[in-house]
Amino acid sequence: MSNLERFQAYADAFEATYADDDWQRLEEYFTADAVYAPGDGTEAVGRDQVLARLRDGINGLDRRFDSRVLQASPPSSEGDTVSLSWQLTLSKADAPDFTATGVEHATYTDGAISRLEDVFDEGVAEGLGAWMAAHGELLA
């Protein structure tokens, strides 16, 4: 199985996990010492911490909205890294949609993700801050 195929399997499993909250499903896709850089300048180290950070991110933002639509380009591969450009649109009643864009990079070691990194496009953090300042009370 190629890294592109492995990444697609991970992406499919992630969406299933988003639907049913079974985070154990994702364990097989990460090395024991995996690192996750969520794009905020921090890193989670170790499979358990990576999965906890992914879960916390979903619970802290995505699930607080009424709906979530993820669009992605076909992933590409260079060396041991698979990259995917994405657009995430979050909707909440009585507020404009919030849209974030970026790229996810997954580096593979021995068939599993050893580093997962989210890189947000310019202006996304500021856009989220402005959205939260204007409409954040709706997420309570």
Side-chain angles (χ1 to χ4, degrees), residues 1-66:
M1 181 182 287
S2 73
N3 288 341
L4 279 171
E5 292 167 322
R6 287 181 183 96
F7 184 82
Q8 187 60 58
Y10 160 73
D12 293 342
F14 186 90
E15 290 305 311
T17 296
Y18 182 84
D20 69 12
D21 212 29
D22 178 8
W23 291 91
Q24 289 182 340
R25 170 188 292 117
L26 299 180
E27 289 177 358
E28 68 178 280
Y29 296 100
F30 292 93
T31 62
D33 61 349
V35 174
Y36 174 45
D40 63 0
T42 66
E43 291 186 343
V45 179
R47 181 187 300 125
D48 291 344
Q49 291 303 310
V50 167
L51 294 176
R53 182 70 65 87
L54 288 168
R55 183 185 62 240
D56 290 349
I58 291 293
N59 290 339
L61 189 65
D62 302 42
R63 286 199 171 124
R64 296 171 65 193
F65 283 80
D66 298 331

Short mmCIF file of all heavy atoms in Angstrom, two decimals, residues 1-66:
data_model
loop_
_atom_site.label_atom_id
_atom_site.label_comp_id
_atom_site.label_asym_id
_atom_site.label_seq_id
_atom_site.Cartn_x
_atom_site.Cartn_y
_atom_site.Cartn_z
N MET A 1 0.84 -1.18 0.00
CA MET A 1 0.00 0.00 0.00
C MET A 1 0.89 1.25 0.00
O MET A 1 1.82 1.34 0.79
CB MET A 1 -0.92 -0.02 1.23
CG MET A 1 -1.85 1.16 1.32
SD MET A 1 -2.91 1.18 2.79
CE MET A 1 -4.07 -0.11 2.43
N SER A 2 0.60 2.20 -0.86
CA SER A 2 1.38 3.43 -0.94
C SER A 2 0.99 4.38 0.20
O SER A 2 -0.06 4.23 0.83
CB SER A 2 1.15 4.11 -2.28
OG SER A 2 -0.15 4.68 -2.32
N ASN A 3 1.84 5.37 0.43
CA ASN A 3 1.51 6.38 1.44
C ASN A 3 0.25 7.15 1.07
O ASN A 3 -0.53 7.52 1.94
CB ASN A 3 2.68 7.34 1.66
CG ASN A 3 3.82 6.68 2.41
OD1 ASN A 3 3.65 5.66 3.07
ND2 ASN A 3 4.99 7.26 2.30
N LEU A 4 0.04 7.38 -0.22
CA LEU A 4 -1.21 8.03 -0.66
C LEU A 4 -2.43 7.19 -0.27
O LEU A 4 -3.43 7.72 0.22
CB LEU A 4 -1.20 8.27 -2.16
CG LEU A 4 -0.45 9.50 -2.65
CD1 LEU A 4 -0.33 9.50 -4.17
CD2 LEU A 4 -1.13 10.77 -2.18
N GLU A 5 -2.34 5.89 -0.48
CA GLU A 5 -3.44 4.99 -0.11
C GLU A 5 -3.62 4.96 1.40
O GLU A 5 -4.75 4.95 1.90
CB GLU A 5 -3.19 3.59 -0.66
CG GLU A 5 -3.26 3.52 -2.17
CD GLU A 5 -2.71 2.21 -2.71
OE1 GLU A 5 -1.71 1.69 -2.18
OE2 GLU A 5 -3.30 1.72 -3.71
N ARG A 6 -2.51 4.93 2.13
CA ARG A 6 -2.58 4.94 3.60
C ARG A 6 -3.24 6.24 4.09
O ARG A 6 -4.04 6.22 5.01
CB ARG A 6 -1.19 4.80 4.21
CG ARG A 6 -0.59 3.43 4.08
CD ARG A 6 0.80 3.39 4.75
NE ARG A 6 1.39 2.09 4.57
CZ ARG A 6 2.25 1.78 3.60
NH1 ARG A 6 2.65 2.71 2.75
NH2 ARG A 6 2.74 0.57 3.50
N PHE A 7 -2.86 7.36 3.47
CA PHE A 7 -3.43 8.64 3.88
C PHE A 7 -4.93 8.67 3.60
O PHE A 7 -5.70 9.16 4.43
CB PHE A 7 -2.73 9.81 3.18
CG PHE A 7 -3.25 11.14 3.66
CD1 PHE A 7 -2.76 11.70 4.83
CD2 PHE A 7 -4.24 11.81 2.97
CE1 PHE A 7 -3.25 12.91 5.29
CE2 PHE A 7 -4.74 13.02 3.42
CZ PHE A 7 -4.24 13.57 4.58
N GLN A 8 -5.34 8.16 2.46
CA GLN A 8 -6.78 8.14 2.15
C GLN A 8 -7.53 7.28 3.15
O GLN A 8 -8.63 7.64 3.60
CB GLN A 8 -7.03 7.64 0.72
CG GLN A 8 -8.49 7.77 0.31
CD GLN A 8 -8.98 9.20 0.36
OE1 GLN A 8 -8.43 10.08 -0.31
NE2 GLN A 8 -10.02 9.47 1.15
N ALA A 9 -6.94 6.15 3.54
CA ALA A 9 -7.57 5.30 4.56
C ALA A 9 -7.67 6.05 5.89
O ALA A 9 -8.71 5.98 6.57
CB ALA A 9 -6.77 4.01 4.73
N TYR A 10 -6.61 6.79 6.25
CA TYR A 10 -6.65 7.60 7.48
C TYR A 10 -7.72 8.68 7.38
O TYR A 10 -8.50 8.87 8.32
CB TYR A 10 -5.28 8.24 7.74
CG TYR A 10 -5.36 9.43 8.65
CD1 TYR A 10 -5.60 9.25 10.02
CD2 TYR A 10 -5.24 10.72 8.17
CE1 TYR A 10 -5.70 10.34 10.87
CE2 TYR A 10 -5.34 11.82 9.01
CZ TYR A 10 -5.58 11.63 10.35
OH TYR A 10 -5.70 12.70 11.19
N ALA A 11 -7.79 9.38 6.25
CA ALA A 11 -8.78 10.45 6.08
C ALA A 11 -10.20 9.90 6.19
O ALA A 11 -11.06 10.51 6.84
CB ALA A 11 -8.57 11.15 4.74
N ASP A 12 -10.44 8.75 5.59
CA ASP A 12 -11.76 8.11 5.69
C ASP A 12 -12.06 7.71 7.13
O ASP A 12 -13.18 7.92 7.62
CB ASP A 12 -11.84 6.89 4.78
CG ASP A 12 -11.78 7.25 3.30
OD1 ASP A 12 -12.01 8.42 2.93
OD2 ASP A 12 -11.49 6.32 2.50
N ALA A 13 -11.06 7.16 7.82
CA ALA A 13 -11.25 6.77 9.22
C ALA A 13 -11.47 7.99 10.10
O ALA A 13 -12.27 7.94 11.05
CB ALA A 13 -10.04 5.97 9.70
N PHE A 14 -10.80 9.10 9.79
CA PHE A 14 -11.00 10.33 10.56
C PHE A 14 -12.44 10.81 10.43
O PHE A 14 -13.06 11.19 11.44
CB PHE A 14 -10.03 11.42 10.09
CG PHE A 14 -10.10 12.65 10.94
CD1 PHE A 14 -9.30 12.78 12.06
CD2 PHE A 14 -10.99 13.67 10.64
CE1 PHE A 14 -9.37 13.93 12.85
CE2 PHE A 14 -11.08 14.81 11.43
CZ PHE A 14 -10.26 14.94 12.54
N GLU A 15 -12.98 10.80 9.23
CA GLU A 15 -14.36 11.25 9.05
C GLU A 15 -15.34 10.31 9.77
O GLU A 15 -16.32 10.77 10.35
CB GLU A 15 -14.70 11.38 7.57
CG GLU A 15 -13.98 12.54 6.90
CD GLU A 15 -14.22 13.89 7.58
OE1 GLU A 15 -15.39 14.22 7.86
OE2 GLU A 15 -13.24 14.60 7.85
N ALA A 16 -15.07 9.01 9.76
CA ALA A 16 -15.92 8.06 10.51
C ALA A 16 -15.82 8.35 12.00
O ALA A 16 -16.81 8.30 12.73
CB ALA A 16 -15.51 6.62 10.20
N THR A 17 -14.62 8.68 12.46
CA THR A 17 -14.41 9.02 13.87
C THR A 17 -15.13 10.30 14.24
O THR A 17 -15.70 10.41 15.32
CB THR A 17 -12.90 9.11 14.18
OG1 THR A 17 -12.32 7.82 13.97
CG2 THR A 17 -12.63 9.58 15.59
N TYR A 18 -15.12 11.27 13.33
CA TYR A 18 -15.86 12.51 13.58
C TYR A 18 -17.35 12.19 13.79
O TYR A 18 -17.99 12.77 14.66
CB TYR A 18 -15.70 13.49 12.40
CG TYR A 18 -16.41 14.79 12.65
CD1 TYR A 18 -15.80 15.79 13.39
CD2 TYR A 18 -17.70 15.00 12.18
CE1 TYR A 18 -16.46 16.99 13.64
CE2 TYR A 18 -18.36 16.20 12.43
CZ TYR A 18 -17.74 17.18 13.16
OH TYR A 18 -18.40 18.36 13.41
N ALA A 19 -17.85 11.23 13.02
CA ALA A 19 -19.27 10.87 13.11
C ALA A 19 -19.61 10.10 14.38
O ALA A 19 -20.66 10.32 14.97
CB ALA A 19 -19.68 10.06 11.88
N ASP A 20 -18.72 9.20 14.82
CA ASP A 20 -19.10 8.33 15.95
C ASP A 20 -18.21 8.47 17.19
O ASP A 20 -18.44 7.78 18.19
CB ASP A 20 -19.16 6.87 15.50
CG ASP A 20 -17.81 6.26 15.15
OD1 ASP A 20 -16.76 6.85 15.44
OD2 ASP A 20 -17.82 5.15 14.58
N ASP A 21 -17.19 9.32 17.15
CA ASP A 21 -16.34 9.61 18.31
C ASP A 21 -15.52 8.41 18.78
O ASP A 21 -15.12 8.35 19.93
CB ASP A 21 -17.18 10.17 19.46
CG ASP A 21 -16.40 11.16 20.31
OD1 ASP A 21 -15.48 11.81 19.79
OD2 ASP A 21 -16.72 11.28 21.52
N ASP A 22 -15.22 7.46 17.90
CA ASP A 22 -14.39 6.30 18.23
C ASP A 22 -12.94 6.60 17.86
O ASP A 22 -12.48 6.25 16.78
CB ASP A 22 -14.89 5.05 17.50
CG ASP A 22 -14.03 3.83 17.78
OD1 ASP A 22 -13.13 3.89 18.65
OD2 ASP A 22 -14.25 2.80 17.11
N TRP A 23 -12.23 7.24 18.77
CA TRP A 23 -10.87 7.69 18.49
C TRP A 23 -9.87 6.55 18.45
O TRP A 23 -8.79 6.69 17.87
CB TRP A 23 -10.47 8.78 19.48
CG TRP A 23 -11.26 10.01 19.20
CD1 TRP A 23 -12.47 10.36 19.74
CD2 TRP A 23 -10.96 11.02 18.24
NE1 TRP A 23 -12.93 11.53 19.19
CE2 TRP A 23 -12.02 11.96 18.26
CE3 TRP A 23 -9.90 11.22 17.36
CZ2 TRP A 23 -12.04 13.08 17.44
CZ3 TRP A 23 -9.92 12.34 16.54
CH2 TRP A 23 -10.97 13.25 16.59
N GLN A 24 -10.19 5.41 19.03
CA GLN A 24 -9.30 4.25 18.96
C GLN A 24 -9.11 3.78 17.52
O GLN A 24 -8.07 3.22 17.19
CB GLN A 24 -9.82 3.10 19.82
CG GLN A 24 -9.70 3.37 21.30
CD GLN A 24 -10.18 2.20 22.13
OE1 GLN A 24 -10.92 1.34 21.67
NE2 GLN A 24 -9.75 2.16 23.36
N ARG A 25 -10.08 4.05 16.69
CA ARG A 25 -10.01 3.66 15.28
C ARG A 25 -8.76 4.25 14.61
O ARG A 25 -8.20 3.66 13.69
CB ARG A 25 -11.26 4.16 14.56
CG ARG A 25 -11.22 4.06 13.06
CD ARG A 25 -12.39 4.73 12.37
NE ARG A 25 -13.64 4.04 12.65
CZ ARG A 25 -14.66 4.59 13.31
NH1 ARG A 25 -14.61 5.84 13.72
NH2 ARG A 25 -15.76 3.90 13.53
N LEU A 26 -8.31 5.41 15.08
CA LEU A 26 -7.20 6.11 14.43
C LEU A 26 -5.82 5.69 14.92
O LEU A 26 -4.81 6.06 14.32
CB LEU A 26 -7.36 7.62 14.61
CG LEU A 26 -8.62 8.23 14.01
CD1 LEU A 26 -8.65 9.73 14.27
CD2 LEU A 26 -8.73 7.93 12.53
N GLU A 27 -5.75 4.92 15.99
CA GLU A 27 -4.47 4.55 16.57
C GLU A 27 -3.53 3.90 15.57
O GLU A 27 -2.34 4.20 15.52
CB GLU A 27 -4.67 3.62 17.78
CG GLU A 27 -5.25 4.32 18.97
CD GLU A 27 -5.50 3.38 20.13
OE1 GLU A 27 -5.26 2.15 20.00
OE2 GLU A 27 -5.96 3.87 21.18
N GLU A 28 -4.04 3.02 14.74
CA GLU A 28 -3.20 2.26 13.81
C GLU A 28 -2.52 3.14 12.75
O GLU A 28 -1.56 2.74 12.12
CB GLU A 28 -4.01 1.19 13.09
CG GLU A 28 -5.05 1.76 12.12
CD GLU A 28 -5.82 0.70 11.38
OE1 GLU A 28 -5.29 0.17 10.39
OE2 GLU A 28 -6.96 0.40 11.80
N TYR A 29 -3.01 4.36 12.57
CA TYR A 29 -2.48 5.23 11.52
C TYR A 29 -1.28 6.05 11.97
O TYR A 29 -0.66 6.74 11.16
CB TYR A 29 -3.58 6.15 10.99
CG TYR A 29 -4.68 5.37 10.33
CD1 TYR A 29 -5.87 5.08 11.00
CD2 TYR A 29 -4.51 4.86 9.05
CE1 TYR A 29 -6.87 4.34 10.39
CE2 TYR A 29 -5.51 4.12 8.44
CZ TYR A 29 -6.68 3.86 9.12
OH TYR A 29 -7.67 3.12 8.52
N PHE A 30 -0.93 6.02 13.28
CA PHE A 30 0.15 6.82 13.82
C PHE A 30 1.23 5.96 14.46
O PHE A 30 0.92 4.95 15.08
CB PHE A 30 -0.40 7.80 14.88
CG PHE A 30 -1.27 8.87 14.30
CD1 PHE A 30 -2.64 8.70 14.24
CD2 PHE A 30 -0.73 10.03 13.81
CE1 PHE A 30 -3.47 9.68 13.70
CE2 PHE A 30 -1.54 11.03 13.27
CZ PHE A 30 -2.91 10.84 13.21
N THR A 31 2.48 6.41 14.34
CA THR A 31 3.55 5.76 15.07
C THR A 31 3.41 6.07 16.55
O THR A 31 2.74 7.04 16.93
CB THR A 31 4.94 6.24 14.58
OG1 THR A 31 5.06 7.64 14.83
CG2 THR A 31 5.15 5.95 13.10
N ALA A 32 4.04 5.26 17.40
CA ALA A 32 3.95 5.47 18.85
C ALA A 32 4.51 6.83 19.25
O ALA A 32 4.03 7.46 20.20
CB ALA A 32 4.68 4.36 19.59
N ASP A 33 5.51 7.32 18.50
CA ASP A 33 6.15 8.59 18.84
C ASP A 33 5.74 9.72 17.89
O ASP A 33 6.47 10.71 17.73
CB ASP A 33 7.67 8.43 18.84
CG ASP A 33 8.22 8.01 17.48
OD1 ASP A 33 7.44 7.64 16.58
OD2 ASP A 33 9.46 8.06 17.32
N ALA A 34 4.57 9.61 17.30
CA ALA A 34 4.09 10.60 16.34
C ALA A 34 4.05 12.00 16.96
O ALA A 34 3.89 12.16 18.17
CB ALA A 34 2.71 10.21 15.84
N VAL A 35 4.16 12.99 16.09
CA VAL A 35 4.09 14.40 16.48
C VAL A 35 2.98 15.05 15.67
O VAL A 35 2.87 14.84 14.46
CB VAL A 35 5.43 15.12 16.22
CG1 VAL A 35 5.31 16.62 16.51
CG2 VAL A 35 6.54 14.50 17.06
N TYR A 36 2.16 15.86 16.34
CA TYR A 36 1.12 16.63 15.66
C TYR A 36 1.35 18.10 15.93
O TYR A 36 1.41 18.54 17.08
CB TYR A 36 -0.27 16.21 16.15
CG TYR A 36 -1.40 17.05 15.60
CD1 TYR A 36 -1.47 17.39 14.25
CD2 TYR A 36 -2.41 17.50 16.43
CE1 TYR A 36 -2.51 18.16 13.75
CE2 TYR A 36 -3.47 18.26 15.94
CZ TYR A 36 -3.51 18.59 14.60
OH TYR A 36 -4.54 19.35 14.10
N ALA A 37 1.49 18.87 14.85
CA ALA A 37 1.63 20.33 14.92
C ALA A 37 0.35 20.92 14.35
O ALA A 37 0.17 20.95 13.12
CB ALA A 37 2.85 20.78 14.13
N PRO A 38 -0.59 21.36 15.21
CA PRO A 38 -1.90 21.79 14.75
C PRO A 38 -1.96 23.19 14.12
O PRO A 38 -3.05 23.66 13.79
CB PRO A 38 -2.76 21.73 16.01
CG PRO A 38 -1.79 21.95 17.12
CD PRO A 38 -0.50 21.31 16.67
N GLY A 39 -0.82 23.83 13.95
CA GLY A 39 -0.82 25.13 13.29
C GLY A 39 -0.89 26.32 14.22
O GLY A 39 -0.99 27.45 13.77
N ASP A 40 -0.84 26.06 15.52
CA ASP A 40 -0.90 27.16 16.49
C ASP A 40 0.42 27.37 17.22
O ASP A 40 0.48 28.04 18.23
CB ASP A 40 -2.03 26.90 17.50
CG ASP A 40 -1.81 25.65 18.33
OD1 ASP A 40 -0.78 24.94 18.14
OD2 ASP A 40 -2.67 25.34 19.18
N GLY A 41 1.48 26.75 16.71
CA GLY A 41 2.79 26.89 17.33
C GLY A 41 3.10 25.87 18.39
O GLY A 41 4.19 25.87 18.95
N THR A 42 2.16 24.98 18.69
CA THR A 42 2.38 23.94 19.68
C THR A 42 2.54 22.60 18.98
O THR A 42 2.27 22.47 17.78
CB THR A 42 1.21 23.85 20.68
OG1 THR A 42 0.03 23.41 19.97
CG2 THR A 42 0.95 25.20 21.34
N GLU A 43 2.97 21.59 19.74
CA GLU A 43 3.07 20.22 19.22
C GLU A 43 2.59 19.24 20.28
O GLU A 43 2.85 19.43 21.47
CB GLU A 43 4.51 19.87 18.84
CG GLU A 43 5.01 20.61 17.64
CD GLU A 43 6.39 20.13 17.18
OE1 GLU A 43 7.10 19.46 17.97
OE2 GLU A 43 6.75 20.42 16.03
N ALA A 44 1.92 18.20 19.82
CA ALA A 44 1.57 17.08 20.68
C ALA A 44 2.53 15.95 20.31
O ALA A 44 2.73 15.69 19.12
CB ALA A 44 0.13 16.65 20.46
N VAL A 45 3.11 15.29 21.29
CA VAL A 45 4.09 14.25 21.04
C VAL A 45 3.62 12.93 21.61
O VAL A 45 3.23 12.86 22.78
CB VAL A 45 5.47 14.64 21.64
CG1 VAL A 45 6.49 13.55 21.38
CG2 VAL A 45 5.95 15.97 21.08
N GLY A 46 3.63 11.90 20.80
CA GLY A 46 3.18 10.57 21.19
C GLY A 46 1.77 10.33 20.69
O GLY A 46 0.94 11.24 20.66
N ARG A 47 1.50 9.11 20.27
CA ARG A 47 0.20 8.76 19.68
C ARG A 47 -0.98 9.19 20.54
O ARG A 47 -1.93 9.79 20.04
CB ARG A 47 0.14 7.26 19.41
CG ARG A 47 -1.17 6.82 18.78
CD ARG A 47 -1.29 5.29 18.68
NE ARG A 47 -0.22 4.74 17.87
CZ ARG A 47 0.63 3.78 18.29
NH1 ARG A 47 0.54 3.29 19.51
NH2 ARG A 47 1.55 3.32 17.49
N ASP A 48 -0.92 8.91 21.84
CA ASP A 48 -2.04 9.25 22.71
C ASP A 48 -2.28 10.76 22.75
O ASP A 48 -3.42 11.22 22.72
CB ASP A 48 -1.81 8.73 24.13
CG ASP A 48 -1.88 7.21 24.21
OD1 ASP A 48 -2.40 6.56 23.27
OD2 ASP A 48 -1.40 6.66 25.23
N GLN A 49 -1.19 11.54 22.81
CA GLN A 49 -1.32 12.99 22.84
C GLN A 49 -1.80 13.54 21.49
O GLN A 49 -2.58 14.49 21.45
CB GLN A 49 0.00 13.64 23.23
CG GLN A 49 0.38 13.38 24.68
CD GLN A 49 -0.69 13.85 25.64
OE1 GLN A 49 -1.15 14.99 25.56
NE2 GLN A 49 -1.10 13.00 26.55
N VAL A 50 -1.34 12.93 20.41
CA VAL A 50 -1.80 13.34 19.07
C VAL A 50 -3.31 13.15 18.96
O VAL A 50 -4.04 14.06 18.57
CB VAL A 50 -1.06 12.56 17.97
CG1 VAL A 50 -1.74 12.75 16.61
CG2 VAL A 50 0.40 12.97 17.91
N LEU A 51 -3.78 11.98 19.35
CA LEU A 51 -5.22 11.70 19.25
C LEU A 51 -6.01 12.60 20.20
O LEU A 51 -7.10 13.08 19.84
CB LEU A 51 -5.50 10.23 19.53
CG LEU A 51 -4.93 9.27 18.49
CD1 LEU A 51 -5.18 7.82 18.90
CD2 LEU A 51 -5.47 9.54 17.11
N ALA A 52 -5.48 12.86 21.38
CA ALA A 52 -6.16 13.76 22.32
C ALA A 52 -6.26 15.17 21.75
O ALA A 52 -7.30 15.82 21.84
CB ALA A 52 -5.42 13.78 23.66
N ARG A 53 -5.19 15.64 21.10
CA ARG A 53 -5.20 16.99 20.53
C ARG A 53 -6.18 17.07 19.36
O ARG A 53 -6.90 18.05 19.20
CB ARG A 53 -3.80 17.38 20.09
CG ARG A 53 -3.68 18.78 19.53
CD ARG A 53 -3.87 19.89 20.59
NE ARG A 53 -2.85 19.90 21.58
CZ ARG A 53 -1.70 20.53 21.49
NH1 ARG A 53 -1.43 21.25 20.44
NH2 ARG A 53 -0.83 20.45 22.46
N LEU A 54 -6.20 16.03 18.52
CA LEU A 54 -7.17 16.00 17.42
C LEU A 54 -8.60 16.03 17.96
O LEU A 54 -9.44 16.80 17.49
CB LEU A 54 -6.96 14.76 16.55
CG LEU A 54 -5.71 14.76 15.67
CD1 LEU A 54 -5.47 13.36 15.09
CD2 LEU A 54 -5.83 15.79 14.55
N ARG A 55 -8.86 15.20 18.97
CA ARG A 55 -10.19 15.15 19.59
C ARG A 55 -10.56 16.49 20.21
O ARG A 55 -11.67 17.01 20.01
CB ARG A 55 -10.25 14.04 20.63
CG ARG A 55 -11.62 13.87 21.27
CD ARG A 55 -11.61 12.84 22.40
NE ARG A 55 -10.72 13.30 23.45
CZ ARG A 55 -9.64 12.63 23.88
NH1 ARG A 55 -9.30 11.48 23.38
NH2 ARG A 55 -8.88 13.15 24.82
N ASP A 56 -9.63 17.09 20.94
CA ASP A 56 -9.89 18.37 21.59
C ASP A 56 -10.17 19.46 20.56
O ASP A 56 -11.02 20.33 20.78
CB ASP A 56 -8.73 18.78 22.49
CG ASP A 56 -8.60 17.91 23.73
OD1 ASP A 56 -9.52 17.12 24.02
OD2 ASP A 56 -7.55 18.00 24.40
N GLY A 57 -9.46 19.43 19.45
CA GLY A 57 -9.69 20.41 18.39
C GLY A 57 -11.08 20.29 17.80
O GLY A 57 -11.78 21.28 17.60
N ILE A 58 -11.49 19.07 17.54
CA ILE A 58 -12.83 18.81 17.00
C ILE A 58 -13.90 19.24 18.00
O ILE A 58 -14.86 19.92 17.65
CB ILE A 58 -12.99 17.32 16.64
CG1 ILE A 58 -12.11 16.96 15.44
CG2 ILE A 58 -14.44 16.95 16.41
CD1 ILE A 58 -12.51 17.60 14.14
N ASN A 59 -13.72 18.83 19.27
CA ASN A 59 -14.72 19.17 20.29
C ASN A 59 -14.73 20.66 20.60
O ASN A 59 -15.79 21.22 20.91
CB ASN A 59 -14.47 18.37 21.56
CG ASN A 59 -14.79 16.90 21.39
OD1 ASN A 59 -15.55 16.51 20.49
ND2 ASN A 59 -14.20 16.06 22.23
N GLY A 60 -13.58 21.30 20.54
CA GLY A 60 -13.48 22.70 20.91
C GLY A 60 -13.97 23.66 19.84
O GLY A 60 -14.30 24.81 20.14
N LEU A 61 -14.04 23.20 18.59
CA LEU A 61 -14.47 24.11 17.53
C LEU A 61 -15.54 23.46 16.66
O LEU A 61 -16.70 23.85 16.72
CB LEU A 61 -13.28 24.56 16.68
CG LEU A 61 -13.59 25.67 15.68
CD1 LEU A 61 -13.98 26.97 16.39
CD2 LEU A 61 -12.40 25.91 14.76
N ASP A 62 -15.18 22.49 15.86
CA ASP A 62 -16.08 21.93 14.85
C ASP A 62 -17.44 21.52 15.42
O ASP A 62 -18.48 21.86 14.86
CB ASP A 62 -15.45 20.70 14.17
CG ASP A 62 -14.13 20.99 13.50
OD1 ASP A 62 -13.30 21.71 14.09
OD2 ASP A 62 -13.90 20.47 12.40
N ARG A 63 -17.44 20.78 16.50
CA ARG A 63 -18.70 20.26 17.05
C ARG A 63 -19.55 21.33 17.72
O ARG A 63 -20.71 21.08 18.04
CB ARG A 63 -18.42 19.11 18.02
CG ARG A 63 -18.01 17.86 17.29
CD ARG A 63 -18.16 16.64 18.15
NE ARG A 63 -17.95 15.45 17.34
CZ ARG A 63 -17.05 14.52 17.61
NH1 ARG A 63 -16.29 14.62 18.68
NH2 ARG A 63 -16.92 13.48 16.81
N ARG A 64 -19.01 22.50 17.93
CA ARG A 64 -19.78 23.59 18.52
C ARG A 64 -20.63 24.31 17.47
O ARG A 64 -21.50 25.09 17.81
CB ARG A 64 -18.86 24.54 19.25
CG ARG A 64 -18.17 23.83 20.44
CD ARG A 64 -17.09 24.64 21.07
NE ARG A 64 -17.64 25.85 21.68
CZ ARG A 64 -16.90 26.86 22.09
NH1 ARG A 64 -15.60 26.83 21.94
NH2 ARG A 64 -17.46 27.92 22.63
N PHE A 65 -20.36 24.03 16.21
CA PHE A 65 -21.14 24.60 15.13
C PHE A 65 -22.28 23.64 14.77
O PHE A 65 -22.28 22.48 15.16
CB PHE A 65 -20.25 24.83 13.90
CG PHE A 65 -19.38 26.05 14.02
CD1 PHE A 65 -18.20 26.01 14.75
CD2 PHE A 65 -19.74 27.24 13.40
CE1 PHE A 65 -17.40 27.14 14.86
CE2 PHE A 65 -18.95 28.37 13.50
CZ PHE A 65 -17.77 28.32 14.24
N ASP A 66 -23.24 24.14 14.01
CA ASP A 66 -24.38 23.32 13.59
C ASP A 66 -24.01 22.33 12.49
O ASP A 66 -24.56 21.23 12.42
CB ASP A 66 -25.53 24.20 13.10
CG ASP A 66 -26.08 25.11 14.19
OD1 ASP A 66 -26.00 24.75 15.38
OD2 ASP A 66 -26.58 26.20 13.84
#
